[in-house]
Amino acid sequence: VKDFNLDVWKAQDLDAKYLLALEPDRMMAYSRKRAGLESRAVGYGGCDGDRRKLTGPIAGHSLSAVSLMYATSGGCPLPLPPP
């Protein structure tokens, strides 16, 4: 039996809402540009911005966050996108 901690649950809920608010097209904007494809949206910027040596860290970090969310929740608290 896992200990129930309301603060942890609230933090996990906020994390899930943040992850759901991320837009895949924005996360992949600079990766698409580097691949010679047209971007579908304006990228997020920051370390993921145009003319940076890194391209796509936000996508990788969000995938890690979703994986950890799944592992710690014992299931998928995030609704799956439509097919």
Side-chain angles (χ1 to χ4, degrees):
V1 176
K2 293 183 180 179
D3 291 335
F4 182 77
N5 184 325
L6 189 57
D7 292 333
V8 172
W9 182 82
K10 286 179 182 178
Q12 188 174 19
D13 187 52
L14 283 174
D15 288 344
K17 287 178 183 173
Y18 172 76
L19 291 170
L20 288 171
L22 292 173
E23 299 175 38
D25 286 336
R26 289 189 69 192
M27 286 191 282
M28 299 306 296
Y30 298 113
S31 294
R32 291 180 60 81
K33 186 174 181 180
R34 284 255 171 115
L37 302 171
E38 185 177 331
S39 294
R40 296 178 182 166
V42 176
Y44 279 110
C47 69
D48 214 38
D50 201 11
R51 299 185 194 158
R52 305 273 191 221
K53 294 185 184 213
L54 294 174
T55 304
I58 190 169
H61 291 306
S62 64
L63 286 172
S64 295
V66 169
S67 299
L68 289 169
M69 180 78 64
Y70 180 87
T72 59
S73 69
C76 187
L78 304 175
L80 298 175

